[in-house]
């Protein structure tokens, strides 16, 4: 008798927990995102398209894509290197390195932006170095308030994503399979390709996607380093500029531009799930 | 000697895993490295494989010093404790991996893998992934994979640890037969004395990074040379004041004695088989009876000392609190460094010898089964 009531209790708990989860996700995430899409179309589809077609938006889109690509590329490479170093070797300062990697998680992106200004700006300690390079090579590289600054800021804030996904997986998998392959004469890269990569590919992809999504939407750090609309603005900055300009048209336009980011993020998540699903079906490994 | 270790030392930080380890292994033998966890047995195996480098000393395989030769060129096959099968590869690809690395032609790879699948009874499983196999099948794949490149030496790290008790016994026999059939020199690590005794032709007992004793299973069993081996093998009880037991005199130079269940016999006072030696026996009271599947394990209180013995299920029933007659045939007196067998003096006077000792090694029971 008591057993039965217990089971009923856990059934009720299950229903309550599931309901809370769905309600919360719905109210906090889904409804606001949908309202963006709805608002973006409030002045008709023609207006929607024309507000996406301005040269400010297309410039912002280009820079966003550039910054995102740079962030994903750099942080994937760095993430692989760092997670490998942290899980496969023991060395002095391991704990310190592991903590340092997490800094972007814990400090405000604006501070990251300001930090780059303090480093590369006119008063910054690295400014003479940049100047020296420019003089020597005859170039005119600017970092602060220019595209390189936007890239750096984006890379900074998305720094830990890939390595944080990889480290637990590499730790859990151990090194037995790699050792076995090495004993049979396999060399470093071929071990990575045939043994390690298949084990970490989903974590890697997931880390890259998180990195991608975060880079796409970065505002604070880029805001500190980017001041020219149509030249160094990314989509989030463009959205902000449109919204703040205050006219009814520009507010709807800002929703329209926002919808690009939402749609891109949703597409990426769907692609990831499809890929993962297909792969699992193929190898029979769950 | 096919494999030789000379004066090997190895430390991990403050922990010394190997201290002056030296031994030799004949070609074609099947050797167990037996010891408790942390005794340095796995480190020895990994150093032979080249997965660890000794701090000092020489490792010689087939007459050549291999210290500086990379693992892949030592001609060894290695079976990992958890098999370390490549989980994203099929059984076929697992076994073929080492051959592909060696750039063997595809046709030859196929021939060799098929041969190994047949040998290990895995034919028909080649398309499966490791997680679709039972523990025993995984072990077979690991074994086949290690043998594929035709190594001269096979190393196995706790090959049965990941398998449940029921299948383990069967696999021990299988592995032994397989290794003897292939004829490959093999060394395996185990902490399980039954496993070592049953599978190996030679046992190397390790403790705290040292080699305690090397010998055939029977030798290790019947002639333990050190206090550690005496205590580690069998189910020993340590008794300081063994002079209390009838038929033994305590000598000052020994710190005590180790008594094994197989050297203790308990019988009822009306037992006719023992009537000639009845007055060599002393009284013991049964304090506990444990069912051990194929026999009973009796705990007896003999003058304040707790002794253990095994009793065949075919013998007459006994119960807790029952008074039995107890004879101890032999104890191992130990000092700090060595163990010395001591025989029951009263029995020796009557010329009762351990003619049943041999028999014991092949049964799970005492000397006399009545």
């Amino acid at each position: 008798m008591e057993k039965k009531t217990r089971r009923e209790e856990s059934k009720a708990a299950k229903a309550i927990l599931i309901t809370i989860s769905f309600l919360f996700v719905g109210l906090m995430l889904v409804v606001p995102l949908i309202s963006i899409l709805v608002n973006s179309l409030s002045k008709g589809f023609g207006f929607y398209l024309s507000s996406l077609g301005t040269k400010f938006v297309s410039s912002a889109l280009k820079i966003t894509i550039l910054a995102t690509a740079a962030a994903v590329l750099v942080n994937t490479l760095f993430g692989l290197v760092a997670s490998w170093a942290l899980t496969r070797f023991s060395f002095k300062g391991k704990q310190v390195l592991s903590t340092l990697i997490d800094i972007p998680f814990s400090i405000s992106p604006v501070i990251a932006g300001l930090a780059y200004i303090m480093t590369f700006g006119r008063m910054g300690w690295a400014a003479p170095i940049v100047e020296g390079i420019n003089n020597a090579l005859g170039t005119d590289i600017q970092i602060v308030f220019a595209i390189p600054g936007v890239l750096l800021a984006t890379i900074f804030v998305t720094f830990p994503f890939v390595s944080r996904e990889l480290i637990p997986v590499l730790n859990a998998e151990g090194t037995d399979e790699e050792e076995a392959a090495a004993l049979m004469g396999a060399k470093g890269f071929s071990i990575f390709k045939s043994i390690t990569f298949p084990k970490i590919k989903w974590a890697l992809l997931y880390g890259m996607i998180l990195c991608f999504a975060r880079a796409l939407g970065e505002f604070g750090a880029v805001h500190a380093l980017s001041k020219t609309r149509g030249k160094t603005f990314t989509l989030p900055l463009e959205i902000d500029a449109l919204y703040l300009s205050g006219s009814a048209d520009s507010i709807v336009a800002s929703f329209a531009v926002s919808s690009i980011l939402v749609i891109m993020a949703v597409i990426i998540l769907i692609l990831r799930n499809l890929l993962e699903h297909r792969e699992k079906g193929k190898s029979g490994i769950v | 000697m096919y494999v030789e270790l000379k004066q090997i030392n190895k430390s991990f930080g403050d922990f010394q895993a190997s201290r002056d380890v030296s031994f030799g292994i004949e070609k074609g033998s099947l050797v167990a490295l037996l010891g408790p966890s942390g005794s340095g047995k796995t480190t020895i195996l990994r150093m032979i494989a080249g997965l660890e480098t000794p701090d000092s000393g020489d490792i010689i395989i087939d007459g050549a010093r291999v210290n500086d030769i990379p693992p892949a060129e030592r001609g060894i096959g290695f079976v990992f404790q958890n098999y370390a099968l490549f989980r994203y590869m099929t059984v076929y690809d697992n076994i073929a991996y080492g051959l592909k690395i060696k750039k063997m032609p595809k046709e030859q790879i196929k021939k060799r893998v098929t041969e190994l699948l047949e040998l290990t009874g895995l034919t028909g499983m080649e398309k499966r992934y490791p997680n679709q196999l039972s523990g025993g099948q995984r072990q077979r794949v690991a074994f086949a994979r290690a043998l594929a490149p035709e190594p001269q030496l096979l190393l196995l790290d706790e090959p049965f640890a990941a398998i449940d008790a029921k299948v383990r016994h069967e696999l021990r026999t299988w592995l032994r037969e397989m290794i003897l059939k292939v004829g490959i020199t093999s060394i395996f690590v185990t902490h399980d004395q039954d496993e070592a005794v049953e599978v190996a032709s030679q046992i190397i007992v390790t403790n705290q990074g040292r080699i305690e004793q090397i010998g055939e299973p029977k030798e290790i069993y019947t002639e333990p040379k050190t206090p550690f081996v005496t205590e580690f093998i069998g189910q020993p009880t340590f008794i300081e004041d063994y002079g209390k037991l009838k038929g033994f005199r305590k000598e000052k130079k020994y710190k005590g004695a180790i008594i094994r269940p197989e050297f203790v016999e308990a019988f009822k006072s009306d037992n006719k088989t023992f009537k000639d030696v009845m007055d060599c026996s002393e009284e013991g009271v049964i304090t506990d009876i444990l069912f051990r599947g194929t026999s009973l394990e009796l705990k007896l209180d003999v003058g304040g000392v707790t002794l253990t013995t095994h009793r065949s299920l075919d013998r007459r029933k006994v119960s807790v609190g029952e008074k039995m007659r107890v004879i101890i045939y032999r104890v191992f007196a130990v000092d700090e460094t060595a163990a010395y067998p001591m025989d029951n003096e009263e029995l020796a006077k009557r010329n009762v010898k351990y003619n049943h000792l041999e028999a014991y090694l092949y049964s799970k029971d005492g000397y006399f089964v009545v």
Side-chain angles (χ1 to χ4, degrees):
Chain A
M1 197 61 203
E2 203 193 343
K3 248 188 186 169
K4 204 176 175 188
T5 49
R6 272 226 188 116
R7 200 182 296 157
E8 273 163 14
E9 248 172 49
S10 80
K11 244 186 188 173
K14 182 181 163 188
I16 290 170
L17 291 179
I18 292 174
T19 313
I20 289 176
S21 306
F22 266 108
L23 271 179
F24 197 74
V25 169
L27 285 174
M28 300 294 291
L29 298 176
V30 180
V31 172
L33 288 178
I34 289 175
S35 72
I36 284 192
L37 296 180
V38 171
N39 275 315
S40 69
L41 291 169
S42 63
K43 294 209 171 196
F45 199 62
F47 183 85
Y48 178 82
L49 285 181
S50 71
S51 55
L52 294 185
T54 68
K55 73 176 202 317
F56 285 152
V57 173
S58 63
S59 151
L61 182 62
K62 261 185 235 156
I63 290 172
T64 301
I65 288 172
L66 185 67
T68 303
V72 171
L73 186 74
V74 170
N75 288 330
T76 299
L77 290 177
F78 170 80
L80 281 168
V81 170
S83 55
W84 197 265
L86 284 171
T87 55
R88 292 297 182 257
F89 308 111
S90 63
F91 51 91
K92 267 191 187 158
K94 187 170 165 168
Q95 206 54 47
V96 176
L97 179 63
S98 171
T99 312
L100 288 179
I101 288 176
D102 282 344
I103 283 181
F105 275 157
S106 51
I107 70 169
S108 162
V110 181
I111 295 170
L114 291 177
Y116 278 121
I117 293 181
M118 298 317 275
T119 310
F120 296 107
R122 205 163 296 167
M123 311 292 288
W125 62 266
I129 301 174
V130 177
E131 209 169 305
I133 293 171
N134 280 336
N135 288 338
L137 301 175
T139 51
D140 184 28
I141 299 170
Q142 294 296 316
I143 294 191
V144 175
F145 308 130
I147 291 172
V150 174
L151 302 191
L152 284 177
T154 311
I155 290 168
F156 182 99
V157 293
T158 55
F159 203 59
F161 285 101
V162 173
S163 54
R164 278 299 143 206
E165 287 299 318
L166 289 182
I167 286 168
V169 177
L170 282 170
N171 269 333
E173 300 293 347
T175 53
D176 277 5
E177 289 178 49
E178 280 82 358
E179 272 185 350
L183 272 176
M184 288 186 249
K187 295 284 180 293
F189 183 70
S190 120
I191 292 177
F192 177 79
K193 203 181 74 178
S194 62
I195 311 292
T196 313
F197 182 72
K199 292 193 291 193
I200 62 168
K201 63 180 171 192
W202 292 113
L204 181 65
L205 183 65
Y206 197 61
M208 286 167 73
I209 284 170
L210 288 176
C211 177
F212 176 91
R214 183 75 181 78
L216 209 58
E218 176 46 29
F219 181 80
V222 176
H223 186 61
L225 284 162
S226 166
K227 298 297 177 201
T228 332
R229 197 173 171 196
K231 282 219 170 112
T232 62
F233 265 30
T234 57
L235 283 178
L237 295 185
E238 178 63 24
I239 291 165
D240 187 53
L242 282 170
Y243 190 79
L244 287 182
S245 68
S247 77
D249 277 2
S250 69
I251 288 177
V252 176
S254 80
F255 281 123
V257 179
S258 304
S259 71
I260 308 181
L261 290 179
V262 174
I263 290 167
M264 275 166 106
V266 171
I267 288 175
I268 289 289
L269 282 179
I270 290 173
L271 274 180
R272 172 191 164 256
N273 277 331
L274 279 180
L275 266 175
E276 197 174 338
H277 193 70
R278 236 178 92 191
E279 186 70 17
K280 277 178 182 168
K282 206 165 67 186
S283 65
I285 288 168
V286 183
Chain B
M1 288 292 159
Y2 188 69
V3 179
E4 243 183 307
L5 270 69
K6 288 183 180 166
Q7 306 280 310
I8 296 287
N9 282 287
K10 172 75 181 173
S11 300
F12 298 100
D14 294 338
F15 178 70
Q16 198 169 358
S18 301
R19 301 166 200 252
D20 271 336
V21 169
S22 301
F23 61 82
I25 288 166
E26 306 265 8
K27 195 169 177 66
S29 54
L30 172 48
V31 180
L33 276 165
L34 171 67
S37 58
S39 67
K41 53 195 190 307
T42 297
T43 306
I44 295 174
L45 199 76
R46 291 174 65 86
M47 285 192 290
I48 299 174
L51 293 168
E52 306 284 354
T53 321
D55 299 338
S56 64
D58 299 320
I59 299 172
I60 292 151
I61 300 178
D62 203 9
R65 185 176 181 274
V66 296
N67 286 45
D68 305 317
I69 294 179
E73 288 159 34
R74 293 188 184 187
I76 46 148
F78 200 99
V79 176
F80 285 80
Q81 183 166 359
N82 294 309
Y83 310 138
L85 296 179
F86 307 135
R87 85 193 69 168
Y88 289 96
M89 293 184 201
T90 59
V91 169
Y92 184 97
D93 288 337
N94 262 283
I95 300 173
Y97 189 84
L99 305 175
K100 281 182 189 158
I101 296 287
K102 288 194 167 167
K103 304 232 160 43
M104 194 188 254
K106 263 203 172 146
E107 277 307 303
Q108 256 174 285
I109 292 181
K110 195 169 178 201
K111 198 169 152 247
R112 178 77 181 136
V113 175
T114 313
E115 205 176 284
L116 283 162
L117 285 168
E118 251 166 53
L119 176 78
T120 51
L122 286 166
T123 311
M125 308 254 176
E126 51 266 46
K127 292 220 172 83
R128 295 213 188 162
Y129 285 88
N131 69 341
Q132 298 167 316
L133 301 174
S134 70
Q137 288 167 336
R138 279 180 209 171
Q139 194 200 39
R140 287 164 191 238
V141 177
F143 181 71
R145 184 180 71 177
L147 284 185
E150 301 188 56
Q152 294 303 301
L153 175 64
L154 183 65
L155 306 173
L156 308 100
D157 187 7
E158 297 269 2
F160 307 101
I163 293 173
D164 45 280
K166 208 178 162 193
V167 210
R168 201 179 297 167
H169 191 77
E170 189 186 309
L171 273 170
R172 277 183 207 161
T173 323
W174 179 84
L175 191 71
R176 184 182 156 80
E177 279 172 6
M178 224 20 95
I179 287 173
L180 296 179
K181 196 163 151 190
V182 179
I184 185 170
T185 313
S186 306
I187 307 173
F188 72 100
V189 157
T190 180
H191 61 268
D192 183 335
Q193 37 157 319
D194 291 342
E195 206 166 284
V197 168
E198 202 173 307
V199 178
S201 53
Q202 193 89 8
I203 295 178
I204 300 172
V205 185
T206 59
N207 177 40
Q208 294 181 341
R210 283 198 191 83
I211 303 290
E212 292 272 339
Q213 190 172 350
I214 304 176
E216 287 172 22
K218 203 179 120 184
E219 229 176 293
I220 302 276
Y221 221 94
T222 55
E223 297 162 41
K225 293 281 192 292
T226 67
F228 174 79
V229 178
T230 319
E231 285 217 74
F232 188 64
I233 308 282
Q235 280 180 300
T237 320
F238 179 79
I239 287 153
E240 206 170 307
D241 189 10
Y242 65 95
K244 277 201 281 192
L245 302 168
K246 204 165 175 181
F248 297 95
R249 267 179 302 141
K250 164 128 184 174
E251 286 176 57
K252 268 200 182 140
K253 57 184 173 177
Y254 302 129
K255 62 174 181 174
I258 286 158
I259 303 177
R260 293 202 187 140
E262 59 266 34
F263 295 112
V264 177
E265 179 59 57
F267 46 89
K268 300 196 186 211
S269 52
D270 60 351
N271 191 317
K272 289 195 181 98
T273 318
F274 292 95
K275 65 179 193 296
D276 296 343
V277 290
M278 197 59 78
D279 48 335
C280 302
S281 68
E282 55 193 312
E283 191 178 270
V285 181
I286 299 180
T287 56
D288 198 5
I289 302 174
L290 295 142
F291 181 59
R292 287 284 184 218
T294 51
S295 64
L296 295 177
E297 186 180 314
L298 306 187
K299 303 261 181 220
L300 296 139
D301 181 346
V302 180
V305 176
T306 302
L307 296 178
T308 307
T309 183
H310 299 299
R311 185 177 174 87
S312 165
L313 294 173
D314 300 333
R315 292 173 74 168
R316 281 181 286 170
K317 250 189 127 161
V318 289
S319 48
V320 174
E322 189 171 340
K323 284 178 183 155
M324 306 287 282
R325 302 305 300 173
V326 176
I327 293 181
I328 296 138
Y329 291 84
R330 169 184 277 187
V331 302
F332 292 95
V334 290
D335 57 20
E336 295 305 325
T337 56
Y340 312 88
M342 310 280 268
D343 292 337
N344 188 315
E345 287 174 2
E346 304 253 334
L347 291 178
K349 267 186 232 158
R350 281 157 206 255
N351 224 8
V352 178
K353 290 266 171 62
Y354 321 102
N355 44 346
H356 297 277
L357 191 59
E358 286 287 313
Y360 178 77
L361 286 171
Y362 300 100
S363 79
K364 279 268 176 200
D365 206 54
Y367 295 63
F368 304 90
V369 177
V370 177

